[in-house]
Amino acid sequence: MALQAAIGDFLSKDAGRPIVIERLQKFPAGFSWITYGVKLRGHPRADDMILRIGPPYGLFAPYSAMPEFQSLSALEGSGVPVPRAFAASDDHSILGAPFFFCERVAGDTPLPWGGGDGAMNDARRESLAADFIDSLAALHNFDWRRTELEQWDPSITVDNAADRQLDFWWERFQRWALRAHPMAHRTFAWLRRNKPRAPRVTLVHGDYRLGNFLEQDQRISAILDWELVHLGDPTEDLGWAFLPQYRGGTRMVCALADEDAFLTRYQDKVGYKIDRAALHFYIVFSLLKLALTHMAAARCFEDGLFNDMRMPAMATQIGPVFRQIAKIMERSS
Amino acid sequence: MNNSLPRLIDGMIATLRREVLPNLEGEFARGQAIGIIYMLNSIQRRASWSNRFFQEQLIAFSKASKELQAMAGELPGAPLPGVTNIPDLPDEGALEARRNAGDEQLCHMIDWLAERRDSLPAGVVAQVETILDNYLNRQLKWDIETSAKPMFTEISRGRED
């Protein structure tokens, strides 16, 4: 009830009129940000919102709401389907942690590990594939330079984009690892040696995959979970989407399109050809990021920040993901 | 603890699966229970009662044996227990610390090689990398061989069928 009252106070001040919170519903999904559905009355822009709060014990804590809020705001009206962003703050005194409010978009989330999606018929799959690829291309065509996103990293270039991300994840590796991991060092060394030049610097979603979009009537109604959004090499998003973990038991990228069809359509939309060596680099990098995320889960659980059993379960996958990396590097040497 | 560790874990899993899960309300709660089953399965493949637990029992036995042996002259024909030599086994914490220290040394070696690979003969670099890769592959293979079958689908759906 304290949270509900605090939400009412904040939204009333923000809207300049009294807002009544009718219902607050916590969604069970997610390891990182806590998501609530907020039914409200009196707000000029919506009577149903999503509230996302980044708790101090979350997987990627400490959080800032600004990257997600600013990117959703900048992308409103672009070709990328995103929820409209309403308000955000990193001020802990308001709701106890960074937070943002956005539109509640209708739709369901097909999950890569949820089972049952093998039954996806061709018409549905092809429609979702087209939206999935086109939305990614639209994101990578988006002109971020004329928005506030330019301030995120004014000195990023096509030459240092890969290094920026390697530095970012190396720092997190140092923070999260509970013990020494020679395989992570071996992979970082390989990535530093093989880093590609970006075809352009774009807005990168950072977690673009099956499970992070909403589907309604066989169309993608919104791309979700922008917490890892940053400026970088667009091939990074392809590498992540191409991971075997998100193929839903099929051979297709995100259980939606085969690799060649995916690349053909994407290349046509962005207007340049994907460098296969760069894609290979970003698939290896994505696997490493996945292993590091599992380390974050191990760290979260070990530090006693929370007892969600999904955390140690995720942590058991560090070895299998490293084994995948070893096999890929073996094949490419 | 008078049951074997594997049987205890089997019993816990069976109880959770047959008696607790069917009576739990809510997908998230059932997913957490399945997460516990998965972690118990994982623990079962690697765990045993600790050396320290048995060593303390052996030390006690050894002390009693020695004291009884000292009374042998007063106990003709008695089935006196033999004095057991207690093996000087490191405990699990010490083994883990040695494994971690070894891995840390290899991390330094990998970083050193990455910085100097251009100034070393290619054949030497390749040989070192083969040694490192063989080590890493052996470790990863062992990690996977001693891991339980993942249950992520079941955890996220909150049911095992």
Side-chain angles (χ1 to χ4, degrees), chain B residues 36-55:
Chain B
I36 295 171
I37 290 173
Y38 173 52
M39 293 319 299
L40 286 171
N41 274 328
S42 303
I43 290 167
Q44 194 180 42
R45 280 160 177 76
R46 298 186 191 185
S48 57
W49 300 126
S50 68
N51 285 350
R52 193 191 149 105
F53 173 75
F54 287 118
Q55 269 178 326

Side-chain angles (χ1 to χ4, degrees), chain A residues 25 40 87 94 132 150 179 193 196 199 245 252 268 274 307 329:
Chain A
Q25 180 196 3
L40 63 168
I94 302 171
F132 187 72
E150 190 170 20
R179 65 178 180 87
R193 207 164 62 247
Q245 279 80 355
M252 289 179 281
D268 186 49
I274 291 296
N307 293 317
M329 293 205 309

Side-chain angles (χ1 to χ4, degrees), chain A residues 309-322:
Chain A
M309 291 311 294
R310 294 175 300 175
M311 293 289 160
M314 270 174 81
T316 63
Q317 294 307 294
I318 296 170
V321 175
F322 275 154

Side-chain angles (χ1 to χ4, degrees), chain A residues 113-114 179-183 185-186 189 193 307-310 312-314 316-317 319-320 322-323 326 330, chain B residues 28 32 36 38-39 99-100 103-104 107 110-111 117 129 133 136-137 140 143-144 152-153 155-157:
Chain A
W113 47 78
R179 65 178 180 87
H181 287 282
M183 189 62 205
H185 283 248
R186 179 94 173 89
R193 207 164 62 247
N307 293 317
D308 187 332
M309 291 311 294
R310 294 175 300 175
M314 270 174 81
T316 63
Q317 294 307 294
F322 275 154
R323 184 82 181 121
E330 225 172 76
Chain B
F28 184 75
Q32 290 293 301
I36 295 171
Y38 173 52
M39 293 319 299
R99 189 272 317 264
N100 292 349
D103 274 350
E104 203 166 331
C107 288
I110 290 165
D111 295 346
R117 60 181 295 126
E129 285 186 338
D133 286 345
L136 293 169
N137 282 327
L140 293 171
D143 185 86
I144 292 164
F152 296 110
T153 303
I155 291 170
S156 72
R157 292 164 74 192

